Amino acid sequence: MNEQDTEDSRFEFLKGDKVLWMVILVISIFSIFPVYSASSNLEYIVNNGTTTGHVMKHMFFVLLGLAIMRVVGTIKYEYIGKLSSILLGLMIILLVVTMFTGQTIDGASASRWLKIPGTPISFQPSSFAFLMLIIYLCRYLTKKITRERLPIENIMYIFGPILLVFVLVAKDNGSTALMILMVSVVVLVIGQLHWKYIAGFISSSFVAIVFFLLIALNTNMIGGNRVHTWMSRIETFTSSKAKSADVDDESLKAKNYQVMQAKAAIVHGGITGMGPGKSALKQMLPQSASDFIFAVIVEEYGVIGAAFLICLYLIMMIRIVMIASKMPAFFGSLLVLSLGVMIFIQLSVNIAVAINLIPVTGQPLPLISYGGTSMLVTYLQLGIILNISSRIQIYDEEGMGKKQSIAEINDIA
């Protein structure tokens, strides 16, 4: 066995792009520290479990996510594409069930979670439905790329599934529903759908959303919706931007409490931070272990630590783009870019909320925020990307997988 074979066997477990693997592992290990620190809020303020219990649960999901990532790497990604329509149908059924039997957890005001019968396990079907929808769109666009699709085909097989998932998710999770529309439009653009269909879809969606908001705000026809909550968040955000910091508006301060505490934590951290576990504001910051964990990271690790974390995410995005650009099969390339867009938008939204660039949305920080469903979906996304990276034909570049012929990696979607 020569030196190259020894090197290959050493990294056999890390199948796929080795740089991406390393970035994922570093972020995953790092996530344990801010979650351990921030979850003390759940124990002492919310009276929910213990700090040790929460960090052990988080570590379990990290290990489970890494295992899922590795298992996904053993399955041909083309088969995942073939199953996407069936899995999307199943997720739509679960979304309908969630509308009627969904539960709230950890004080959330929306019934987004579905409990598995006979177990204490709950999950959010919307996250899995989002993923299956994107995979389905990538496969459908690939199958039909060689010919012009009829308008009725686009309506039934592209726009229909997007709008159906959007409607089922929007009632209880407006931010995720909007992300579904945004990412879907990006996938349609990258997937080379004719611009006239995309423009028509965007226009129709805009009209439908405005119509929905008008009905929800002025009538009782759509029961149990959270439109008033969304509008309140937007109003609070715009009001906080318009008013100066010294205006004494107790009502506005109460509504803007989460963002004010997050901004205070970021300012308190300074350049070098207070040190691991030494956040002073985590006990006053709602959702400190999930939605606002970036603020805790800045407070404890400073601008330097936050910049390092953002650099890791940036490397992740660069590697994803590199993988997509080197993948000969259109389905593989489109799928990698689409999953990368999903991760990037979620990452951007979480950070933007923490630094008060956009209204509060409740999106977690990928691979770091405390919570099982979103974390496992992110690992599943990255597992598919790593799977595709291992199928790239490479001659001289290290770390991208074994050589394969074009026939072996040809798209069979």
Side-chain angles (χ1 to χ4, degrees):
M1 181 179 293
N2 58 36
E3 184 177 346
Q4 182 63 43
D5 291 336
T6 303
E7 187 73 13
D8 290 341
S9 62
R10 185 183 306 168
F11 289 101
E12 186 61 27
F13 179 79
L14 304 182
K15 188 176 181 180
D17 184 78
K18 304 304 183 293
V19 175
L20 184 56
W21 259 109
M22 290 298 107
V23 170
I24 295 169
L25 289 174
V26 171
I27 296 177
S28 298
I29 294 171
F30 170 76
S31 71
I32 297 172
F33 301 99
V35 167
Y36 180 70
S37 175
S39 60
S40 61
N41 177 288
L42 297 173
E43 177 178 1
Y44 299 110
I45 306 301
V46 185
N47 295 320
N48 178 10
T50 65
T51 301
T52 302
H54 289 303
V55 77
M56 292 298 293
K57 181 179 178 181
H58 178 76
M59 291 173 65
F60 168 77
F61 279 115
V62 168
L63 294 175
L64 179 60
L66 292 172
I68 289 175
M69 224 168 50
R70 185 61 185 88
V71 170
V72 169
T74 64
I75 305 171
K76 285 190 174 183
Y77 74 92
E78 297 93 342
Y79 297 156
I80 299 175
K82 289 177 181 292
L83 290 172
S84 61
S85 56
I86 298 175
L87 295 175
L88 176 60
L90 176 61
M91 290 302 109
I92 289 175
I93 293 174
L94 292 180
L95 286 175
V96 174
V97 173
T98 305
M99 289 183 66
F100 298 99
T101 64
Q103 300 179 340
T104 61
I105 62 174
D106 294 338
S109 57
S111 302
R112 304 171 183 171
W113 286 265
L114 191 63
K115 185 176 181 180
I116 300 177
T119 71
I121 301 174
S122 298
F123 68 100
Q124 293 189 65
S126 59
S127 297
F128 290 102
F130 188 5
L131 175 59
M132 290 303 115
L133 174 65
I134 298 306
I135 297 176
Y136 164 81
L137 290 176
C138 291
R139 179 175 184 258
Y140 185 80
L141 291 169
T142 301
K143 284 175 61 181
K144 305 296 182 179
I145 197 172
T146 57
R147 68 175 178 84
E148 178 70 18
R149 284 175 291 271
L150 299 174
I152 188 65
E153 289 182 289
N154 291 329
I155 293 173
M156 290 182 59
Y157 301 113
I158 296 179
F159 305 138
I162 295 173
L163 291 176
L164 180 58
V165 174
F166 171 80
V167 169
L168 292 174
V169 173
K171 177 177 175 291
D172 289 309
N173 198 339
S175 60
T176 298
L178 287 177
M179 286 174 60
I180 288 172
L181 279 184
M182 290 173 57
V183 176
S184 296
V185 169
V186 174
V187 173
L188 298 183
V189 173
I190 302 174
Q192 302 178 19
L193 184 66
H194 198 284
W195 66 267
K196 64 181 180 182
Y197 294 119
I198 299 176
F201 175 66
I202 294 174
S203 302
S204 302
S205 299
F206 178 78
V207 172
I209 292 172
V210 172
F211 188 63
F212 170 80
L213 292 175
L214 290 175
I215 294 177
L217 289 172
N218 298 290
T219 72
N220 295 321
M221 294 175 60
I222 306 176
N225 67 80
R226 304 185 73 239
V227 174
H228 291 283
T229 301
W230 309 337
M231 299 306 293
S232 176
R233 288 178 175 178
I234 295 173
E235 181 182 355
T236 300
F237 174 77
T238 55
S239 298
S240 66
K241 291 295 185 181
K243 291 180 177 291
S244 60
D246 58 347
V247 172
D248 187 16
D249 190 334
E250 295 300 327
S251 175
L252 178 60
K253 288 181 178 179
K255 291 181 179 179
N256 211 33
Y257 178 79
Q258 296 184 93
V259 174
M260 290 175 63
Q261 296 301 321
K263 291 169 66 177
I266 291 173
V267 172
H268 191 226
I271 301 298
T272 59
M274 307 304 297
K278 295 181 179 179
S279 168
L281 295 169
K282 62 188 176 186
Q283 307 297 357
M284 295 177 285
L285 181 61
Q287 305 297 329
S288 59
S290 52
D291 301 347
F292 286 92
I293 198 167
F294 183 76
V296 175
I297 292 173
V298 178
E299 184 181 10
E300 294 189 348
Y301 299 91
V303 173
I304 294 176
F308 176 73
L309 178 61
I310 291 174
C311 284
L312 290 176
Y313 281 123
L314 181 61
I315 294 172
M316 178 187 293
M317 293 299 112
I318 292 174
R319 297 305 294 187
I320 288 174
V321 173
M322 288 178 60
I323 292 167
S325 66
K326 294 176 181 295
M327 185 64 195
F330 181 78
F331 175 53
S333 180
L334 176 60
L335 185 55
V336 168
L337 282 177
S338 301
L339 297 178
V341 169
M342 289 180 67
I343 297 172
F344 176 76
I345 290 181
Q346 183 180 343
L347 165 69
S348 302
V349 167
N350 179 275
I351 295 177
V353 168
I355 60 179
N356 198 27
L357 289 180
I358 61 175
V360 176
T361 61
Q363 291 298 321
L365 188 61
L367 297 179
I368 291 185
S369 289
Y370 179 69
T373 303
S374 177
M375 178 175 288
L376 293 183
V377 169
T378 302
Y379 279 114
L380 186 55
Q381 293 169 328
L382 292 168
I384 296 172
I385 293 172
L386 286 167
N387 181 324
I388 296 172
S389 75
S390 69
R391 301 280 300 283
I392 295 175
Q393 184 181 25
I394 292 295
Y395 293 99
D396 297 316
E397 182 176 348
E398 296 181 358
M400 295 291 289
K402 297 179 180 180
K403 295 180 182 179
Q404 291 187 337
S405 66
I406 295 295
E408 288 178 308
I409 58 178
N410 192 31
D411 184 19
I412 62 171

